[in-house]
Amino acid sequence: MYRRNRSNAQSPLPHRRRRLRSGLEPPAGDPDDDRMCWICLTGDEEQPRRSDWLHPCRCRGTNKWVHESCLSRWIDEKQLLAPDVPVTCTQCRTEYIIVMPPLCRFDALLERLDKSYERLCPSVLMGILAATVYFSAVTYGALTLLELAGYETGMRLLQEDPTLLMILLPSVPTLLLLGRMVRWDDAVIRWLRRHHRLGVPADHLDASGEPLPGAPLDDEYFDQLERDHPDSDGQVGGAFGSEHLGRASSSFCIALGLPTVAVILGQCLFARICEENKLLGILLGGVTFVAAKGLASVYLRQSQYQRKRHRFVMDYTPENMSHRNRN
């Protein structure tokens, strides 16, 4: 809570009615005698109890008056939304003088313990989450090592230098996730579009070379549209909104599943070629998967780009409606 006029906060509060009545009776003939609460929009006629009125800020005229109960509810709503922000008047920005009853020693001790608990718990939670992520990464790195090197060789490596492996194993999922952020397919798409660009026709340009109103959209417009709304495939941490959650999760699974897919493809496609070197076959399997996945993504994105580039809208006529219903 926000406390101003600290001397009043330390002294016992007067009776509620005496506190509300003190200094709030407008003098006779005052033009502000016709009061209206700026929260509930009721005046003296609807609210005859004059002891319920307050003027807690520097506002003048009828806008300075407010019911004490209305203001209390309004302050509670503001403090629930922003407990650490001072409550001020919406018009003159005057901070309200909110006087709280003094706390006894036991209540003050409990309040300090509660605030310390609130500050400490987020740090503890972040530590638990960090430890969980670390040990999960160590476990994943160990399983990947056993899968790639074999059970016997992997166990021997884990037993020889466990301290070094505790540092290197968590880097395995990290490197896989970072590898998904290498967008080599973007470079291929830029190269393809650079050699097949379509600009605005010359008859749709003015004397200065700017497109006339109603001119067809060129490739620069669609490129800018794609830059403003990039595809989240491959961006593991780039887009975790509700509309991109599926793409981000699929990219996460592809990155962590790459070693398993590389082992399967290496055994199926390169087992005879790399009989003596198993790791080379696994490496070739991983390269094959990454290349096939990237080329498929390039083809799909380019196909969607061309469809959007050559779309058109038909006139609303009976013939076009019947053609649409047939399709």
Side-chain angles (χ1 to χ4, degrees):
M1 284 295 178
Y2 313 102
R3 301 176 176 86
R4 296 178 60 184
N5 197 349
R6 194 175 292 269
S7 61
N8 291 339
Q10 300 300 328
S11 60
L13 291 177
H15 192 271
R16 183 180 183 84
R17 293 184 179 179
R18 291 181 58 190
R19 177 173 63 87
L20 293 177
R21 289 177 180 173
S22 58
L24 296 184
E25 296 295 335
D30 194 333
D32 296 341
D33 192 37
D34 188 12
R35 298 177 292 193
M36 177 178 290
C37 177
W38 60 268
I39 296 179
C40 66
L41 301 180
T42 58
D44 285 321
E45 295 80 5
E46 296 85 356
Q47 185 62 259
R49 291 182 54 190
R50 304 175 68 86
S51 61
D52 289 338
W53 293 98
L54 292 174
H55 56 88
C57 60
R58 291 192 296 264
C59 290
R60 297 181 180 276
T62 57
N63 290 332
K64 73 178 182 180
W65 297 105
V66 64
H67 292 132
E68 193 271 342
S69 58
C70 296
L71 184 61
S72 295
R73 287 193 294 267
W74 187 81
I75 290 175
D76 290 336
E77 294 176 1
K78 290 293 182 179
Q79 290 181 340
L80 287 176
L81 296 176
D84 297 330
V85 178
V87 183
T88 60
C89 175
T90 58
Q91 300 295 327
C92 64
R93 301 301 179 184
T94 302
E95 181 180 352
Y96 291 133
I97 304 175
I98 303 176
V99 181
M100 297 294 296
L103 294 175
C104 64
R105 294 183 178 179
F106 181 73
D107 294 345
L109 176 62
L110 292 180
E111 186 174 351
R112 285 195 295 269
L113 291 177
D114 183 67
K115 291 182 179 179
S116 302
Y117 181 77
E118 290 180 358
R119 289 192 295 265
L120 181 62
C121 285
S123 301
V124 174
L125 179 60
M126 292 302 297
I128 294 175
L129 293 178
T132 302
V133 172
Y134 173 77
F135 286 110
S136 299
V138 170
T139 303
Y140 177 84
L143 294 177
T144 303
L145 178 63
L146 296 177
E147 186 177 27
L148 298 180
Y151 180 78
E152 295 180 358
T153 305
M155 290 300 297
R156 185 172 66 254
L157 292 175
L158 291 175
Q159 294 174 0
E160 286 179 355
D161 195 353
T163 304
L164 181 61
L165 292 178
M166 289 294 288
I167 300 175
L168 295 179
L169 290 180
S171 63
V172 173
T174 304
L175 293 176
L176 291 175
L177 294 176
L178 292 177
R180 288 291 296 166
M181 296 183 181
V182 178
R183 303 300 302 271
W184 65 269
D185 51 341
D186 286 347
V188 176
I189 288 178
R190 285 194 297 268
W191 180 82
L192 291 174
R193 295 178 184 176
R194 190 181 304 118
H195 293 78
H196 301 85
R197 296 194 65 80
L198 296 175
V200 179
D203 55 345
H204 289 83
L205 299 176
D206 57 12
S208 61
E210 296 295 330
L212 294 171
L217 301 176
D218 59 350
D219 284 347
E220 182 62 31
Y221 165 79
F222 290 98
D223 291 343
Q224 183 64 37
L225 183 65
E226 193 171 74
R227 286 192 295 267
D228 294 339
H229 304 279
D231 187 9
S232 63
D233 182 64
Q235 300 289 341
V236 177
F240 275 98
S242 58
E243 67 276 9
H244 299 299
L245 182 59
R247 290 181 179 271
S249 59
S250 64
S251 182
F252 186 84
C253 294
I254 290 173
L256 297 184
L258 178 60
T260 302
V261 177
V263 171
I264 296 175
L265 292 180
Q267 294 177 354
C268 295
L269 301 178
F270 306 101
R272 296 182 179 180
I273 302 176
C274 306
E275 293 181 358
E276 299 180 357
N277 194 342
K278 181 181 177 181
L279 291 179
L280 180 59
I282 295 175
L283 179 61
L284 293 176
V287 172
T288 302
F289 173 75
V290 172
K293 173 71 171 57
L295 293 177
S297 176
V298 169
Y299 177 80
L300 178 61
R301 290 175 58 185
Q302 190 67 8
S303 175
Q304 293 173 348
Y305 176 84
Q306 293 296 334
R307 291 187 62 192
K308 186 182 296 184
R309 181 71 179 82
H310 295 92
R311 70 183 179 187
F312 61 93
V313 181
M314 303 176 66
D315 292 329
Y316 187 81
T317 61
E319 294 79 7
N320 292 336
M321 286 299 298
S322 61
H323 176 74
R324 177 188 177 185
N325 294 333
R326 286 196 303 269
N327 295 335

